Amino acid sequence: GCIKMKDNFNLLNIPVTISQKDIFSKSSNNLIRYDIVYSLGFIEHFTDLNMVVQKHWELLKPGGILLIGAPNFLGINYFFLKRLAPKLLSKHNLPTMDISNWKRFENKFNLKPLFRGYLFVPNIFGSEKKTTFNKIIETIWRIVDDVFYIVYLFRPFRKLFNSKYVGDYVIGVYKKQ
């Protein structure tokens, strides 16, 4: 991911320093502070949301931007994943996907939300067990997702799809005070 990000910035002729570090290492206190900390698909693997967000917050300069996100396995995604990918579902802490729980760390670390919400991104997870019934459910999910995407293209429906019940991802963009 870091290599691809560097390649993309190079294509745009934007100078950037990208670091890949273990935020839980003891030496993280000696790390430089960053203008932007970008973290997707990480926080949902921890039960202590405040602790894991604090590690991100510690890496930010004052006034820095934290972009943090997680997949949303709540709502309709839960219904399909419970049947098709229960092992995948079990490896995630679902309360971290409920954005109402994010207010605690926002307040604790005095983070100013610039954007906070659910995003609909057409997304299908494959079945862990390829039974006939699961193949039927997976096909139904693909059709539902395709229909959702077509409807999503019409602006009046976007708010419905960018919700806890349909959105595939939860994102927060914050400024460190």
Side-chain angles (χ1 to χ4, degrees):
C2 289
I3 292 168
K4 193 63 172 168
M5 186 183 301
K6 181 74 170 169
D7 291 345
N8 287 333
F9 278 103
N10 286 340
L11 286 170
L12 297 169
N13 293 319
I14 298 173
V16 65
T17 302
I18 297 170
S19 299
Q20 182 178 354
K21 305 283 182 188
D22 176 359
I23 65 171
F24 297 111
S25 73
K26 300 214 186 280
S27 64
S28 67
N29 291 336
N30 300 327
L31 294 175
I32 61 172
R33 300 299 177 239
Y34 298 93
D35 296 313
I36 299 172
V37 173
Y38 174 87
S39 176
L40 298 179
F42 184 72
I43 64 169
E44 71 275 8
H45 297 283
F46 299 88
T47 54
D48 188 344
L49 189 56
N50 282 341
M51 177 274 304
V52 74
V53 171
Q54 179 177 350
K55 294 297 184 180
H56 290 77
W57 178 84
E58 289 170 354
L59 294 172
L60 279 174
K61 290 179 181 178
I65 300 295
L66 172 61
L67 190 150
I68 199 159
N72 176 28
F73 295 161
L74 307 175
I76 195 167
N77 293 322
Y78 179 81
F79 171 79
F80 286 107
L81 285 170
K82 187 175 178 184
R83 174 65 195 176
L84 297 175
K87 287 181 190 171
L88 174 71
L89 192 61
S90 72
K91 293 177 183 176
H92 294 81
N93 182 20
L94 299 182
T96 62
M97 299 171 191
D98 185 343
I99 208 161
S100 66
N101 292 329
W102 292 22
K103 294 216 183 272
R104 282 185 237 132
F105 73 71
E106 292 168 358
N107 292 334
K108 181 173 181 158
F109 301 112
N110 196 24
L111 290 167
K112 178 184 176 187
L114 304 176
F115 173 84
R116 180 190 334 108
Y118 293 92
L119 300 176
F120 174 73
V121 181
N123 190 12
I124 300 294
F125 295 93
S127 177
E128 292 169 355
K129 293 182 180 177
K130 297 295 181 186
T131 66
T132 302
F133 184 71
N134 280 2
K135 287 178 186 177
I136 292 167
I137 296 295
E138 196 172 333
T139 300
I140 291 169
W141 192 9
R142 288 182 191 283
I143 292 167
V144 167
D145 204 55
D146 288 346
V147 170
F148 278 4
Y149 182 66
I150 291 166
V151 174
Y152 177 78
L153 293 175
F154 297 96
R155 187 173 290 281
F157 295 104
R158 289 191 181 162
K159 189 172 184 178
L160 168 69
F161 287 91
N162 291 335
S163 71
K164 175 180 174 178
Y165 305 104
V166 182
D168 297 294
Y169 224 77
V170 57
I171 296 277
V173 181
Y174 301 97
K175 185 170 187 174
K176 183 177 182 179
Q177 304 289 342

